[in-house]
Amino acid sequence: MTHTPRRQFIKQGLLGTAGATIASLGTSAKSYAAIQGANDRINLAVIGVRNQGTVHLNAWCGLKDSHNVAVRTVCDVDERLWAPAVSLVSGKSGITPTTQWDLRKVFEDKTIDAVSIVVPNHWHALAMIWAVQAGKHVYVEKPASHNIWEGRRMIEAARKYDRFVQVGLNNRSGIAVREAIAFLHGGGIGKLYMARALCFKARDSYGVAKEGPTPAEFHYDMWVGPAAWQPYAEKRTHYNWHWYWNTGNGDTGNTGPHQLDIARWGLRKDEHPVTVYSAGGIYGFRTDDATQTPGRRVYGDVEAYGHDRTTQETPNTQTATYKYADGTLLEMETRGRYTNHEGSQGQEVGNLFFGEDGWLEISGGTWRAFKGRSREPIAGSKPDTPDGNHWANFIEALRANRKAELHADIHEGHLSTSLCHLANISYRTEQALRFDGAKEQFVGAPAADALLRRPAYRQGFEVPSQV
């Protein structure tokens, strides 16, 4: 793919005075109308329109009037998803998008300015690299990459082709979360020495991946893409791909990136940790087929089967401890079975920070801080605090031509995503590991180094060493 010229919608006048004007006005929707050249429509393609892809479609359509955004193409390898996606966009925006199953055709379309990548993890890096090489700006879902080596190639590609790349770490744009981080960075609970990331999601068995015929409307070869080839099995594709190392990263790499990102952000660590140790396993499921529980639909619109046997590979229970060069600790815990909660109000998915003078908790769009042993909060979010909009931040930074205004640039996404990968590598090798962040290699651990990247990519779907 070749690097096409910068899109016309970022005009020369916007690069100077207009960009400064946007910054001074806080990049509100009303400010755009006052800036010459800033109102050119941004045409988007959403690649991957199932589940989280639907969230993206709604988000972009919601910016149609305030930010002059149009979803022009919906792309998915499963043609059965096209009709509901087109209906959603048409109903929300009045625009009927075109459809495509081959993302390469989307990148060739010179009318598309930016793409929203909502495909399985194993496709994130290659899709993003191809997109920026074609001159597109990119919003890519978390985790940024499927492995650490790919994440570094993504940074290199974004910088080489001078594209805006936002990672879907939505908490970075959450107003209450940003308030909490500012409170921490302002010394609200003293010097921080530890953060704890929580991912407590009780999940039933997703069952056994039995191979079978590929649906006629499903372009399975394209779905596999860079991953190792395996025969089609429904329980290894839609949403279930999370639980297999070939395509996913488990819950530590699914919900975990959000909490690990907040933890690293709060600790002000713009670096990799120097050590990691992770342990866990798959607990709570039967090991035979003696009992077959009737399936029930769960999140992801897939069936789950109580305590039945599963061919899931990734752990449903996992702990990890990271240490940074200055001794600061970061802990992560994933619990996929029934559990107690943590924090003052029963956090299931969230963060805890510990400082010399107290502690702070973040749960969704709320936060509370406590001093010493007091059970009464000294500070916290207000009930009427509005949500932030991560998609809007991407558009606003793009219009201002200021990459520094991205709340989750690919560099941030890579560092936080790497925490997930480091934990999984320690878990898979059953080793406490030392990590050389400058080289992004382990120290004296060849088995761990082998998991820093995929051993091989399928022909035609290689993530390039030189972007």
Side-chain angles (χ1 to χ4, degrees), residues 182-255:
F183 182 83
L184 290 172
H185 291 177
I189 57 171
K191 182 180 179 181
L192 300 180
Y193 62 87
M194 184 170 70
R196 183 161 167 75
L198 312 175
C199 175
F200 301 167
K201 285 191 170 183
R203 296 185 185 273
D204 287 342
S205 165
Y206 286 97
V208 175
K210 297 178 180 179
E211 296 172 3
T214 305
E217 307 91 339
F218 189 41
H219 299 268
Y220 181 62
D221 183 74
M222 179 61 71
W223 185 90
V224 175
W229 176 263
Q230 293 176 308
Y232 173 80
E234 179 186 359
K235 287 296 181 179
R236 283 200 296 255
T237 57
H238 289 324
Y239 197 75
N240 295 294
W241 55 262
H242 280 294
W243 322 123
Y244 296 90
W245 296 119
N246 190 38
T247 52
N249 306 96
D251 245 345
T252 295
N254 177 29
T255 303

Side-chain angles (χ1 to χ4, degrees), residues 392-410:
N393 169 251
F394 173 68
I395 298 299
E396 291 167 4
L398 186 53
R399 288 200 184 278
N401 195 41
R402 294 174 183 269
K403 293 187 181 70
E405 292 184 11
L406 287 172
H407 288 164
D409 172 73
I410 183 60

Side-chain angles (χ1 to χ4, degrees), residues 355-401:
E356 292 178 345
D357 300 330
W359 65 285
L360 181 146
E361 61 186 2
I362 299 175
S363 179
T366 63
W367 66 277
R368 306 205 305 171
F370 301 82
K371 273 288 181 77
R373 295 182 174 86
S374 175
R375 295 178 180 268
E376 294 299 320
I378 59 167
S381 56
K382 295 179 174 57
D384 57 351
T385 301
D387 294 330
N389 191 317
H390 204 50
W391 292 270
N393 169 251
F394 173 68
I395 298 299
E396 291 167 4
L398 186 53
R399 288 200 184 278
N401 195 41

Side-chain angles (χ1 to χ4, degrees), residues 286-310:
R286 301 181 184 93
T287 58
D288 57 43
D289 293 320
T291 303
Q292 293 194 357
T293 304
R296 66 183 185 92
R297 290 281 168 180
V298 297
Y299 182 82
D301 194 30
V302 295
E303 282 192 338
Y305 311 94
H307 295 265
D308 287 7
R309 184 169 75 89
T310 180

